[in-house]
Amino acid sequence: MTYLDAQRASVLAAAGMVPIEQWGDRPVRGAWTVAQVLEHLRLSEAGVVRLAFKLGKPARAAGARAETSTASMLGSLDHLFGGHGIMDRSLRREAPEQVCPGDTVDAHSVVGGLTRTRDDLYAAVALVDGLALEDLRWTHAILGELNLYQWILFVGQHEARHAMQVAEIGRALATREAAESAREPAATGAAIARA
């Protein structure tokens, strides 16, 4: 969970670089806003929480196999997308419909929503703690079959990817604002010249 929390901190730090009053601004037509990216992450994490409970409750009740391996799972998604992994932003990907944010997302409530889904994820991980999560599998709409370790890792790597996107949105909005500010004095000067 330390890895996941570090990625969450990165996403929130990137969002914090954008004034909250701009979280609903699109950097370019058709692109997501900062608030929409955060809502997408909330929806995605909520889905993993539901899955962890769906797989974990019956496994726990049935006395599923205990985990004996101490191997790291951090590289277990690196093979995806031809070895590019989840975090590579050079490959554009369409989000499945169930995790697409609405057109408007309240900037002030989306962070609270992320806090709630993270608390729920902690509860789900506590439920499955000690079980061999590689035995618990479910198919992702784009990534194919993943075990529950990979689903949980996906949350962190997905947030790392979108932290980069939020930073890109922030840079685009700042560039646009600077360009608009540079044009304003010229327009004002032209208006004065015509007066």
Side-chain angles (χ1 to χ4, degrees), residues 124-152:
V125 168
L127 170 71
V128 299
D129 186 40
L131 299 180
L133 301 187
E134 67 266 18
D135 295 346
L136 308 179
R137 298 179 167 275
W138 197 262
T139 301
H140 185 281
I142 296 171
L143 307 178
E145 187 179 74
L146 302 177
N147 66 47
L148 195 50
Y149 284 124
Q150 292 171 317
W151 276 100
I152 294 167

PDB file of all heavy atoms in Angstrom, residues 124-152:
ATOM      1  N   ALA A 124     -10.582  -3.474   1.816  1.00  0.00           N
ATOM      2  CA  ALA A 124     -10.581  -4.639   0.931  1.00  0.00           C
ATOM      3  C   ALA A 124      -9.271  -5.407   1.041  1.00  0.00           C
ATOM      4  O   ALA A 124      -9.259  -6.642   1.079  1.00  0.00           O
ATOM      5  CB  ALA A 124     -10.826  -4.200  -0.512  1.00  0.00           C
ATOM      6  N   VAL A 125      -8.161  -4.677   1.095  1.00  0.00           N
ATOM      7  CA  VAL A 125      -6.852  -5.330   1.222  1.00  0.00           C
ATOM      8  C   VAL A 125      -6.745  -6.045   2.568  1.00  0.00           C
ATOM      9  O   VAL A 125      -6.196  -7.152   2.649  1.00  0.00           O
ATOM     10  CB  VAL A 125      -5.712  -4.308   1.006  1.00  0.00           C
ATOM     11  CG1 VAL A 125      -4.357  -4.875   1.422  1.00  0.00           C
ATOM     12  CG2 VAL A 125      -5.676  -3.856  -0.458  1.00  0.00           C
ATOM     13  N   ALA A 126      -7.299  -5.459   3.611  1.00  0.00           N
ATOM     14  CA  ALA A 126      -7.291  -6.118   4.925  1.00  0.00           C
ATOM     15  C   ALA A 126      -8.070  -7.432   4.872  1.00  0.00           C
ATOM     16  O   ALA A 126      -7.665  -8.427   5.474  1.00  0.00           O
ATOM     17  CB  ALA A 126      -7.872  -5.184   5.982  1.00  0.00           C
ATOM     18  N   LEU A 127      -9.166  -7.446   4.122  1.00  0.00           N
ATOM     19  CA  LEU A 127      -9.972  -8.664   3.985  1.00  0.00           C
ATOM     20  C   LEU A 127      -9.174  -9.795   3.348  1.00  0.00           C
ATOM     21  O   LEU A 127      -9.271 -10.947   3.773  1.00  0.00           O
ATOM     22  CB  LEU A 127     -11.224  -8.379   3.144  1.00  0.00           C
ATOM     23  CG  LEU A 127     -12.022  -9.609   2.715  1.00  0.00           C
ATOM     24  CD1 LEU A 127     -12.745 -10.226   3.911  1.00  0.00           C
ATOM     25  CD2 LEU A 127     -12.991  -9.273   1.607  1.00  0.00           C
ATOM     26  N   VAL A 128      -8.382  -9.490   2.324  1.00  0.00           N
ATOM     27  CA  VAL A 128      -7.669 -10.537   1.584  1.00  0.00           C
ATOM     28  C   VAL A 128      -6.235 -10.740   2.057  1.00  0.00           C
ATOM     29  O   VAL A 128      -5.523 -11.594   1.529  1.00  0.00           O
ATOM     30  CB  VAL A 128      -7.691 -10.257   0.054  1.00  0.00           C
ATOM     31  CG1 VAL A 128      -9.114 -10.243  -0.457  1.00  0.00           C
ATOM     32  CG2 VAL A 128      -6.966  -8.967  -0.295  1.00  0.00           C
ATOM     33  N   ASP A 129      -5.825  -9.977   3.054  1.00  0.00           N
ATOM     34  CA  ASP A 129      -4.456 -10.087   3.552  1.00  0.00           C
ATOM     35  C   ASP A 129      -4.153 -11.519   3.977  1.00  0.00           C
ATOM     36  O   ASP A 129      -4.932 -12.153   4.683  1.00  0.00           O
ATOM     37  CB  ASP A 129      -4.256  -9.144   4.743  1.00  0.00           C
ATOM     38  CG  ASP A 129      -2.815  -9.107   5.198  1.00  0.00           C
ATOM     39  OD1 ASP A 129      -1.916  -9.100   4.351  1.00  0.00           O
ATOM     40  OD2 ASP A 129      -2.588  -9.092   6.439  1.00  0.00           O
ATOM     41  N   GLY A 130      -3.034 -12.023   3.499  1.00  0.00           N
ATOM     42  CA  GLY A 130      -2.606 -13.373   3.848  1.00  0.00           C
ATOM     43  C   GLY A 130      -3.046 -14.445   2.873  1.00  0.00           C
ATOM     44  O   GLY A 130      -2.547 -15.567   2.920  1.00  0.00           O
ATOM     45  N   LEU A 131      -3.972 -14.112   1.967  1.00  0.00           N
ATOM     46  CA  LEU A 131      -4.412 -15.082   0.956  1.00  0.00           C
ATOM     47  C   LEU A 131      -3.474 -15.025  -0.249  1.00  0.00           C
ATOM     48  O   LEU A 131      -2.855 -13.995  -0.532  1.00  0.00           O
ATOM     49  CB  LEU A 131      -5.834 -14.775   0.490  1.00  0.00           C
ATOM     50  CG  LEU A 131      -6.941 -14.822   1.536  1.00  0.00           C
ATOM     51  CD1 LEU A 131      -8.280 -14.495   0.881  1.00  0.00           C
ATOM     52  CD2 LEU A 131      -6.976 -16.171   2.228  1.00  0.00           C
ATOM     53  N   ALA A 132      -3.391 -16.110  -0.978  1.00  0.00           N
ATOM     54  CA  ALA A 132      -2.604 -16.174  -2.214  1.00  0.00           C
ATOM     55  C   ALA A 132      -3.422 -15.478  -3.316  1.00  0.00           C
ATOM     56  O   ALA A 132      -4.262 -16.096  -3.960  1.00  0.00           O
ATOM     57  CB  ALA A 132      -2.295 -17.613  -2.579  1.00  0.00           C
ATOM     58  N   LEU A 133      -3.173 -14.203  -3.503  1.00  0.00           N
ATOM     59  CA  LEU A 133      -4.003 -13.406  -4.411  1.00  0.00           C
ATOM     60  C   LEU A 133      -3.788 -13.752  -5.873  1.00  0.00           C
ATOM     61  O   LEU A 133      -4.621 -13.402  -6.712  1.00  0.00           O
ATOM     62  CB  LEU A 133      -3.769 -11.909  -4.165  1.00  0.00           C
ATOM     63  CG  LEU A 133      -4.060 -11.407  -2.755  1.00  0.00           C
ATOM     64  CD1 LEU A 133      -3.947  -9.892  -2.695  1.00  0.00           C
ATOM     65  CD2 LEU A 133      -5.413 -11.876  -2.260  1.00  0.00           C
ATOM     66  N   GLU A 134      -2.713 -14.460  -6.201  1.00  0.00           N
ATOM     67  CA  GLU A 134      -2.545 -14.884  -7.598  1.00  0.00           C
ATOM     68  C   GLU A 134      -3.588 -15.932  -7.988  1.00  0.00           C
ATOM     69  O   GLU A 134      -3.834 -16.159  -9.172  1.00  0.00           O
ATOM     70  CB  GLU A 134      -1.126 -15.386  -7.889  1.00  0.00           C
ATOM     71  CG  GLU A 134      -0.762 -16.671  -7.194  1.00  0.00           C
ATOM     72  CD  GLU A 134      -0.045 -16.468  -5.865  1.00  0.00           C
ATOM     73  OE1 GLU A 134      -0.118 -15.365  -5.296  1.00  0.00           O
ATOM     74  OE2 GLU A 134       0.595 -17.419  -5.396  1.00  0.00           O
ATOM     75  N   ASP A 135      -4.227 -16.547  -6.997  1.00  0.00           N
ATOM     76  CA  ASP A 135      -5.283 -17.521  -7.271  1.00  0.00           C
ATOM     77  C   ASP A 135      -6.627 -16.855  -7.567  1.00  0.00           C
ATOM     78  O   ASP A 135      -7.538 -17.497  -8.089  1.00  0.00           O
ATOM     79  CB  ASP A 135      -5.474 -18.458  -6.078  1.00  0.00           C
ATOM     80  CG  ASP A 135      -4.255 -19.337  -5.813  1.00  0.00           C
ATOM     81  OD1 ASP A 135      -3.366 -19.419  -6.700  1.00  0.00           O
ATOM     82  OD2 ASP A 135      -4.188 -19.932  -4.716  1.00  0.00           O
ATOM     83  N   LEU A 136      -6.761 -15.599  -7.210  1.00  0.00           N
ATOM     84  CA  LEU A 136      -8.017 -14.863  -7.392  1.00  0.00           C
ATOM     85  C   LEU A 136      -7.888 -14.024  -8.659  1.00  0.00           C
ATOM     86  O   LEU A 136      -7.114 -13.078  -8.705  1.00  0.00           O
ATOM     87  CB  LEU A 136      -8.311 -13.985  -6.174  1.00  0.00           C
ATOM     88  CG  LEU A 136      -8.269 -14.695  -4.819  1.00  0.00           C
ATOM     89  CD1 LEU A 136      -8.559 -13.718  -3.691  1.00  0.00           C
ATOM     90  CD2 LEU A 136      -9.229 -15.876  -4.781  1.00  0.00           C
ATOM     91  N   ARG A 137      -8.660 -14.373  -9.683  1.00  0.00           N
ATOM     92  CA  ARG A 137      -8.474 -13.763 -11.003  1.00  0.00           C
ATOM     93  C   ARG A 137      -9.775 -13.201 -11.540  1.00  0.00           C
ATOM     94  O   ARG A 137     -10.849 -13.726 -11.272  1.00  0.00           O
ATOM     95  CB  ARG A 137      -7.916 -14.790 -11.979  1.00  0.00           C
ATOM     96  CG  ARG A 137      -6.551 -15.316 -11.568  1.00  0.00           C
ATOM     97  CD  ARG A 137      -6.002 -16.366 -12.523  1.00  0.00           C
ATOM     98  NE  ARG A 137      -4.606 -16.592 -12.244  1.00  0.00           N
ATOM     99  CZ  ARG A 137      -3.614 -15.860 -12.732  1.00  0.00           C
ATOM    100  NH1 ARG A 137      -3.856 -14.870 -13.550  1.00  0.00           N
ATOM    101  NH2 ARG A 137      -2.360 -16.138 -12.427  1.00  0.00           N
ATOM    102  N   TRP A 138      -9.627 -12.135 -12.349  1.00  0.00           N
ATOM    103  CA  TRP A 138     -10.772 -11.517 -13.017  1.00  0.00           C
ATOM    104  C   TRP A 138     -10.259 -10.841 -14.273  1.00  0.00           C
ATOM    105  O   TRP A 138      -9.123 -10.345 -14.301  1.00  0.00           O
ATOM    106  CB  TRP A 138     -11.436 -10.492 -12.098  1.00  0.00           C
ATOM    107  CG  TRP A 138     -12.815 -10.118 -12.530  1.00  0.00           C
ATOM    108  CD1 TRP A 138     -13.180  -9.023 -13.245  1.00  0.00           C
ATOM    109  CD2 TRP A 138     -14.016 -10.844 -12.272  1.00  0.00           C
ATOM    110  NE1 TRP A 138     -14.530  -9.012 -13.446  1.00  0.00           N
ATOM    111  CE2 TRP A 138     -15.078 -10.129 -12.853  1.00  0.00           C
ATOM    112  CE3 TRP A 138     -14.294 -12.038 -11.609  1.00  0.00           C
ATOM    113  CZ2 TRP A 138     -16.389 -10.545 -12.802  1.00  0.00           C
ATOM    114  CZ3 TRP A 138     -15.607 -12.451 -11.537  1.00  0.00           C
ATOM    115  CH2 TRP A 138     -16.639 -11.722 -12.129  1.00  0.00           C
ATOM    116  N   THR A 139     -11.088 -10.789 -15.311  1.00  0.00           N
ATOM    117  CA  THR A 139     -10.659 -10.221 -16.595  1.00  0.00           C
ATOM    118  C   THR A 139     -10.948  -8.734 -16.666  1.00  0.00           C
ATOM    119  O   THR A 139     -12.079  -8.297 -16.444  1.00  0.00           O
ATOM    120  CB  THR A 139     -11.359 -10.952 -17.759  1.00  0.00           C
ATOM    121  OG1 THR A 139     -11.023 -12.351 -17.673  1.00  0.00           O
ATOM    122  CG2 THR A 139     -10.905 -10.408 -19.099  1.00  0.00           C
ATOM    123  N   HIS A 140      -9.920  -7.977 -16.973  1.00  0.00           N
ATOM    124  CA  HIS A 140     -10.024  -6.533 -17.210  1.00  0.00           C
ATOM    125  C   HIS A 140     -10.446  -6.322 -18.659  1.00  0.00           C
ATOM    126  O   HIS A 140      -9.991  -7.055 -19.551  1.00  0.00           O
ATOM    127  CB  HIS A 140      -8.665  -5.873 -16.946  1.00  0.00           C
ATOM    128  CG  HIS A 140      -8.666  -4.388 -17.036  1.00  0.00           C
ATOM    129  ND1 HIS A 140      -8.634  -3.712 -18.231  1.00  0.00           N
ATOM    130  CD2 HIS A 140      -8.685  -3.438 -16.069  1.00  0.00           C
ATOM    131  CE1 HIS A 140      -8.628  -2.417 -17.998  1.00  0.00           C
ATOM    132  NE2 HIS A 140      -8.667  -2.223 -16.694  1.00  0.00           N
ATOM    133  N   ALA A 141     -11.294  -5.337 -18.906  1.00  0.00           N
ATOM    134  CA  ALA A 141     -11.839  -5.100 -20.250  1.00  0.00           C
ATOM    135  C   ALA A 141     -10.756  -4.856 -21.294  1.00  0.00           C
ATOM    136  O   ALA A 141     -10.929  -5.195 -22.466  1.00  0.00           O
ATOM    137  CB  ALA A 141     -12.804  -3.920 -20.214  1.00  0.00           C
ATOM    138  N   ILE A 142      -9.638  -4.291 -20.914  1.00  0.00           N
ATOM    139  CA  ILE A 142      -8.562  -3.976 -21.868  1.00  0.00           C
ATOM    140  C   ILE A 142      -7.322  -4.823 -21.616  1.00  0.00           C
ATOM    141  O   ILE A 142      -6.667  -5.276 -22.556  1.00  0.00           O
ATOM    142  CB  ILE A 142      -8.194  -2.478 -21.789  1.00  0.00           C
ATOM    143  CG1 ILE A 142      -9.400  -1.625 -22.216  1.00  0.00           C
ATOM    144  CG2 ILE A 142      -6.974  -2.149 -22.643  1.00  0.00           C
ATOM    145  CD1 ILE A 142      -9.224  -0.153 -21.976  1.00  0.00           C
ATOM    146  N   LEU A 143      -6.994  -5.069 -20.367  1.00  0.00           N
ATOM    147  CA  LEU A 143      -5.724  -5.719 -20.016  1.00  0.00           C
ATOM    148  C   LEU A 143      -5.780  -7.232 -20.000  1.00  0.00           C
ATOM    149  O   LEU A 143      -4.749  -7.882 -19.917  1.00  0.00           O
ATOM    150  CB  LEU A 143      -5.256  -5.213 -18.647  1.00  0.00           C
ATOM    151  CG  LEU A 143      -5.168  -3.697 -18.491  1.00  0.00           C
ATOM    152  CD1 LEU A 143      -4.732  -3.342 -17.075  1.00  0.00           C
ATOM    153  CD2 LEU A 143      -4.237  -3.093 -19.527  1.00  0.00           C
ATOM    154  N   GLY A 144      -6.982  -7.800 -20.061  1.00  0.00           N
ATOM    155  CA  GLY A 144      -7.110  -9.254 -20.008  1.00  0.00           C
ATOM    156  C   GLY A 144      -7.170  -9.747 -18.570  1.00  0.00           C
ATOM    157  O   GLY A 144      -7.433  -8.986 -17.638  1.00  0.00           O
ATOM    158  N   GLU A 145      -6.899 -11.043 -18.394  1.00  0.00           N
ATOM    159  CA  GLU A 145      -7.005 -11.636 -17.070  1.00  0.00           C
ATOM    160  C   GLU A 145      -5.868 -11.166 -16.165  1.00  0.00           C
ATOM    161  O   GLU A 145      -4.698 -11.220 -16.534  1.00  0.00           O
ATOM    162  CB  GLU A 145      -6.982 -13.160 -17.163  1.00  0.00           C
ATOM    163  CG  GLU A 145      -7.255 -13.817 -15.814  1.00  0.00           C
ATOM    164  CD  GLU A 145      -7.263 -15.323 -15.886  1.00  0.00           C
ATOM    165  OE1 GLU A 145      -6.168 -15.909 -16.010  1.00  0.00           O
ATOM    166  OE2 GLU A 145      -8.357 -15.901 -15.821  1.00  0.00           O
ATOM    167  N   LEU A 146      -6.247 -10.701 -14.990  1.00  0.00           N
ATOM    168  CA  LEU A 146      -5.283 -10.257 -13.976  1.00  0.00           C
ATOM    169  C   LEU A 146      -5.601 -10.965 -12.670  1.00  0.00           C
ATOM    170  O   LEU A 146      -6.771 -11.248 -12.378  1.00  0.00           O
ATOM    171  CB  LEU A 146      -5.393  -8.743 -13.742  1.00  0.00           C
ATOM    172  CG  LEU A 146      -5.194  -7.806 -14.932  1.00  0.00           C
ATOM    173  CD1 LEU A 146      -5.413  -6.362 -14.492  1.00  0.00           C
ATOM    174  CD2 LEU A 146      -3.805  -7.979 -15.544  1.00  0.00           C
ATOM    175  N   ASN A 147      -4.568 -11.215 -11.882  1.00  0.00           N
ATOM    176  CA  ASN A 147      -4.833 -11.723 -10.540  1.00  0.00           C
ATOM    177  C   ASN A 147      -5.045 -10.527  -9.614  1.00  0.00           C
ATOM    178  O   ASN A 147      -4.819  -9.374  -9.999  1.00  0.00           O
ATOM    179  CB  ASN A 147      -3.732 -12.676 -10.064  1.00  0.00           C
ATOM    180  CG  ASN A 147      -2.389 -11.997  -9.878  1.00  0.00           C
ATOM    181  OD1 ASN A 147      -2.279 -10.936  -9.273  1.00  0.00           O
ATOM    182  ND2 ASN A 147      -1.336 -12.620 -10.419  1.00  0.00           N
ATOM    183  N   LEU A 148      -5.483 -10.790  -8.408  1.00  0.00           N
ATOM    184  CA  LEU A 148      -5.848  -9.684  -7.515  1.00  0.00           C
ATOM    185  C   LEU A 148      -4.643  -8.842  -7.110  1.00  0.00           C
ATOM    186  O   LEU A 148      -4.778  -7.641  -6.892  1.00  0.00           O
ATOM    187  CB  LEU A 148      -6.614 -10.206  -6.290  1.00  0.00           C
ATOM    188  CG  LEU A 148      -7.362  -9.161  -5.468  1.00  0.00           C
ATOM    189  CD1 LEU A 148      -8.245  -8.257  -6.332  1.00  0.00           C
ATOM    190  CD2 LEU A 148      -8.191  -9.824  -4.379  1.00  0.00           C
ATOM    191  N   TYR A 149      -3.456  -9.444  -7.030  1.00  0.00           N
ATOM    192  CA  TYR A 149      -2.252  -8.631  -6.803  1.00  0.00           C
ATOM    193  C   TYR A 149      -2.127  -7.597  -7.924  1.00  0.00           C
ATOM    194  O   TYR A 149      -1.849  -6.419  -7.684  1.00  0.00           O
ATOM    195  CB  TYR A 149      -0.976  -9.492  -6.813  1.00  0.00           C
ATOM    196  CG  TYR A 149      -0.733 -10.307  -5.588  1.00  0.00           C
ATOM    197  CD1 TYR A 149      -0.564 -11.679  -5.686  1.00  0.00           C
ATOM    198  CD2 TYR A 149      -0.625  -9.715  -4.333  1.00  0.00           C
ATOM    199  CE1 TYR A 149      -0.317 -12.457  -4.566  1.00  0.00           C
ATOM    200  CE2 TYR A 149      -0.377 -10.477  -3.209  1.00  0.00           C
ATOM    201  CZ  TYR A 149      -0.222 -11.845  -3.324  1.00  0.00           C
ATOM    202  OH  TYR A 149       0.027 -12.604  -2.210  1.00  0.00           O
ATOM    203  N   GLN A 150      -2.300  -8.044  -9.164  1.00  0.00           N
ATOM    204  CA  GLN A 150      -2.158  -7.159 -10.316  1.00  0.00           C
ATOM    205  C   GLN A 150      -3.250  -6.093 -10.353  1.00  0.00           C
ATOM    206  O   GLN A 150      -2.984  -4.965 -10.740  1.00  0.00           O
ATOM    207  CB  GLN A 150      -2.151  -7.982 -11.598  1.00  0.00           C
ATOM    208  CG  GLN A 150      -0.907  -8.839 -11.736  1.00  0.00           C
ATOM    209  CD  GLN A 150      -0.997  -9.805 -12.894  1.00  0.00           C
ATOM    210  OE1 GLN A 150      -2.029 -10.445 -13.114  1.00  0.00           O
ATOM    211  NE2 GLN A 150       0.095  -9.915 -13.638  1.00  0.00           N
ATOM    212  N   TRP A 151      -4.462  -6.460  -9.962  1.00  0.00           N
ATOM    213  CA  TRP A 151      -5.540  -5.464  -9.905  1.00  0.00           C
ATOM    214  C   TRP A 151      -5.193  -4.357  -8.918  1.00  0.00           C
ATOM    215  O   TRP A 151      -5.411  -3.175  -9.189  1.00  0.00           O
ATOM    216  CB  TRP A 151      -6.853  -6.128  -9.503  1.00  0.00           C
ATOM    217  CG  TRP A 151      -7.589  -6.742 -10.645  1.00  0.00           C
ATOM    218  CD1 TRP A 151      -7.610  -8.060 -10.998  1.00  0.00           C
ATOM    219  CD2 TRP A 151      -8.421  -6.062 -11.593  1.00  0.00           C
ATOM    220  NE1 TRP A 151      -8.408  -8.239 -12.099  1.00  0.00           N
ATOM    221  CE2 TRP A 151      -8.920  -7.036 -12.485  1.00  0.00           C
ATOM    222  CE3 TRP A 151      -8.788  -4.736 -11.765  1.00  0.00           C
ATOM    223  CZ2 TRP A 151      -9.771  -6.712 -13.536  1.00  0.00           C
ATOM    224  CZ3 TRP A 151      -9.644  -4.411 -12.806  1.00  0.00           C
ATOM    225  CH2 TRP A 151     -10.121  -5.390 -13.683  1.00  0.00           C
ATOM    226  N   ILE A 152      -4.657  -4.740  -7.764  1.00  0.00           N
ATOM    227  CA  ILE A 152      -4.296  -3.738  -6.755  1.00  0.00           C
ATOM    228  C   ILE A 152      -3.117  -2.903  -7.242  1.00  0.00           C
ATOM    229  O   ILE A 152      -3.112  -1.680  -7.098  1.00  0.00           O
ATOM    230  CB  ILE A 152      -4.021  -4.428  -5.400  1.00  0.00           C
ATOM    231  CG1 ILE A 152      -5.323  -5.053  -4.875  1.00  0.00           C
ATOM    232  CG2 ILE A 152      -3.440  -3.443  -4.386  1.00  0.00           C
ATOM    233  CD1 ILE A 152      -5.144  -6.013  -3.713  1.00  0.00           C
TER     234      ILE A 152
END
